[in-house]
Amino acid sequence: MTAPTRAAPAREWADAFAAASNEDPEIQAHGKYFTCTYLLDATERSYAIKMESGRVTEVTVDPGPLDVPYEFAIRATPETWRGFGEPVPPPMHHGIWAATFQRDMRLDGNILVLMQNLRCVTRQIELLRTVGSPV
């Protein structure tokens, strides 16, 4: 007997996330200088997302600690990421600040880079409502 899956396989999710981000008019309008690599960490699975001028150029699934350098990380439990992936997120799952206030999400690394690109990162998190949870 197999357990039901809650998310698409990792590579499939990564490709869908990259396509949704690259096709999003808001990110393209605001992302001219959005160039960095950041980590989405969901304990069970992580993704290093490389951005160049507002476009996802690479998503590395489950990078090792030295495989992909990144400027900042957004870390949360799988349950929190699943909440972000709902079409209508439950309370405290509609944005990274709400999730950090409940102390389930942590922002690590160079927070200045996150703040410089906050609108685009926020929009990418909002895209989870359409592409689904990363875990």
Side-chain angles (χ1 to χ4, degrees), residues 42-133:
T43 310
E44 299 170 359
R45 170 135 293 138
S46 62
Y47 301 86
I49 300 168
K50 184 176 183 179
M51 300 297 303
E52 293 180 8
S53 301
R55 298 192 56 78
V56 176
T57 58
E58 185 177 352
V59 178
T60 304
V61 177
D62 294 330
L66 301 175
D67 290 346
V68 180
Y70 54 87
E71 281 74 21
F72 62 90
I74 304 173
R75 303 178 192 281
T77 62
E79 293 75 26
T80 294
W81 287 115
R82 289 181 189 119
F84 276 100
E86 294 292 324
V88 177
M92 307 308 281
H93 294 86
H94 60 280
I96 61 174
W97 301 119
T100 59
F101 293 150
Q102 71 177 6
R103 298 202 168 126
D104 185 55
M105 182 171 275
R106 290 188 336 268
L107 308 173
D108 296 329
N110 190 343
I111 302 304
L112 176 61
V113 176
L114 169 63
M115 297 306 287
Q116 289 169 331
N117 297 291
L118 186 60
R119 184 59 217 138
C120 291
V121 172
T122 298
R123 180 64 187 141
Q124 285 183 316
I125 299 299
E126 290 169 353
L127 290 174
L128 297 181
R129 297 173 189 168
T130 58
V131 298
S133 167

